[in-house]
């Protein structure tokens, strides 16, 4: 019992994360978060790289890098504007950003890579009509 108490007392707690403070002006932060929220709402659950691709297509002036976008996404999660869900696909995990109003079960499914590989391996035979 003493050993159990010693192990429990030796555990370190999870470090507390300080709240994120944005360095951008409030008007600019509002326009960036509005654009990111619209992209996530319109295109469904997205990974960080998918969000970055869509935001680049929108062409925001205030968003200069993917790193800044990731900070904005973390800030939006902290403010509960977005949520992060984990999509388990066998041994692979995929973290997707979505709005609070999107049901993850109704979200469009991503194509599974093993199904694509099987479809590519199937041979295609020409028609078997023989000319006598």
């Amino acid at each position: 019992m003493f050993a159990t108490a010693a192990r429990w007392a030796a555990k370190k707690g999870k470090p507390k994360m300080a709240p994120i403070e944005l360095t951008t002006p409030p008007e600019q932060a509002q326009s960036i978060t509005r654009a990111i929220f619209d992209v996530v709402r319109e295109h469904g659950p997205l990974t960080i790289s998918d969000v970055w691709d869509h935001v680049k297509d929108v062409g925001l002036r205030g968003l200069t890098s993917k790193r800044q976008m990731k900070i904005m996404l973390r800030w939006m999660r902290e403010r509960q504007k977005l949520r992060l869900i984990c999509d388990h696909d066998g041994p692979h995990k995929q973290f997707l950003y979505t709005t609070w109003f999107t049901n993850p079960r109704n979200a469009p499914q991503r194509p599974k890579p093993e199904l694509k590989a099987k479809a590519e391996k199937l041979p295609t035979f020409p028609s078997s009509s023989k000319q006598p």
Side-chain angles (χ1 to χ4, degrees), residues 18-84:
I20 298 171
E21 295 181 14
L22 299 176
T23 57
T24 57
E27 301 84 19
Q28 190 176 15
Q30 183 180 9
S31 66
I32 292 171
T33 55
R34 186 41 127 185
I36 291 174
F37 184 81
D38 289 342
V39 163
V40 171
R41 185 182 60 197
E42 183 179 333
H43 297 286
L46 296 171
T47 61
I48 288 179
S49 57
D50 292 339
V51 173
W52 177 243
D53 291 338
H54 286 294
V55 167
K56 280 195 305 187
D57 292 340
V58 170
L60 284 173
R61 281 185 289 136
L63 200 60
T64 56
S65 65
K66 190 173 181 178
R67 181 175 184 267
Q68 183 186 7
M69 186 201 68
K70 288 164 82 173
I71 292 169
M72 296 295 284
L73 285 170
R74 201 174 320 138
W75 181 78
M76 290 172 75
R77 264 185 44 219
E78 186 180 278
R79 302 279 178 174
Q80 294 186 349
K81 296 177 186 299
L82 295 178
R83 68 180 176 150
L84 188 63

Side-chain angles (χ1 to χ4, degrees), residues 89-100:
D89 184 19
H92 306 288
K93 290 182 183 176
Q94 193 171 38
F95 294 98
L96 304 169
Y97 281 93
T98 183
T99 61
W100 280 96

Side-chain angles (χ1 to χ4, degrees), residues 1-14:
M1 175 145 168
F2 179 72
T4 305
R7 278 194 303 270
W8 180 76
K11 286 185 181 177
K12 292 183 180 177
K14 191 174 180 182

